[in-house]
Amino acid sequence: MQRIEFLNYPIGEQRSDLQWGCRIDGTDLRVYAADATRDLWSQEREDEGSAEQERFLLGQHGGLTLSEVGDAVRHFLGDPAPEFADPSTGSTPVLGCSCGVWGCWPLLTIITTTPETVTWSSFRQPFRKEWGELAMGPYVFARPAYEAALAEPTRLATDPLRTPGEVMP
């Protein structure tokens, strides 16, 4: 089983607005998304050079704002508010767009729960249906540890993927 850590950190320089993020086995979920989409993006984008391409890949997603998510326990246990639910696939967004509008470029997953586990599987980008299911997961978490991490997210002073002085897209 994997280990999850939920994070709350500011959006850009605005210290009062926080967003949800997460790490799976110590790695930010956006890194897994970058790895899963690297080859797919290379078919659509001109080669920009490896450093610029990596910034783009890591910056394609942002977290979900606390105010948008509302009831985080329900959301991250696969029962999101209706505006987040994708009834056609049963998916829930776990990342939003780096622009701050979650629905602009969400990362969707199916969250399945049992009394013992929480599983994230079938990751998709709804605006690139031709990509199909992304090569991520499934990630299986022990439910008691998952719920404990969700109840006490780690509060960070800045985006964990941002380096000092860097401007994220």
Side-chain angles (χ1 to χ4, degrees):
M1 284 195 202
Q2 281 79 39
R3 181 181 53 81
I4 193 161
E5 178 185 11
F6 286 97
L7 311 170
N8 289 158
Y9 55 90
I11 300 169
E13 300 300 319
Q14 299 176 20
R15 302 273 180 226
S16 61
D17 294 335
L18 297 177
Q19 59 188 339
W20 285 99
C22 69
R23 292 181 184 136
I24 298 174
D25 293 334
T27 300
D28 195 293
L29 183 60
R30 294 171 293 173
V31 172
Y32 290 116
D35 291 343
T37 60
R38 184 173 282 107
D39 289 340
L40 298 166
W41 275 119
S42 70
Q43 297 168 23
E44 294 185 30
R45 296 173 55 92
E46 293 181 30
D47 184 12
E48 300 173 336
S50 61
E52 189 172 324
Q53 182 71 1
E54 282 306 302
R55 278 193 302 278
F56 169 79
L57 289 169
L58 290 173
Q60 70 182 310
H61 291 291
L64 300 170
T65 65
L66 272 62
S67 60
E68 285 178 323
V69 170
D71 186 343
V73 172
R74 285 187 60 195
H75 183 94
F76 288 107
L77 286 175
D79 184 22
E83 61 271 19
F84 281 102
D86 181 351
S88 66
T89 62
S91 298
T92 299
V94 289
L95 290 175
C97 185
S98 60
C99 77
V101 177
W102 78 269
C104 180
W105 191 253
L107 178 65
L108 303 177
T109 190
I110 295 176
I111 300 174
T112 308
T113 61
T114 71
E116 296 83 28
T117 62
V118 177
T119 303
W120 290 10
S121 62
S122 302
F123 288 86
R124 296 187 179 279
Q125 172 30 256
F127 299 114
R128 292 293 192 281
K129 293 189 186 314
E130 66 275 13
W131 285 3
E133 188 174 320
L134 298 175
M136 294 175 64
Y139 304 114
V140 181
F141 312 102
R143 187 164 179 167
Y146 183 97
E147 288 182 352
L150 186 53
E152 294 189 35
T154 301
R155 178 83 181 259
L156 302 174
T158 187
D159 182 329
L161 293 185
R162 188 171 177 200
T163 55
E166 177 184 14
V167 176
M168 293 295 281

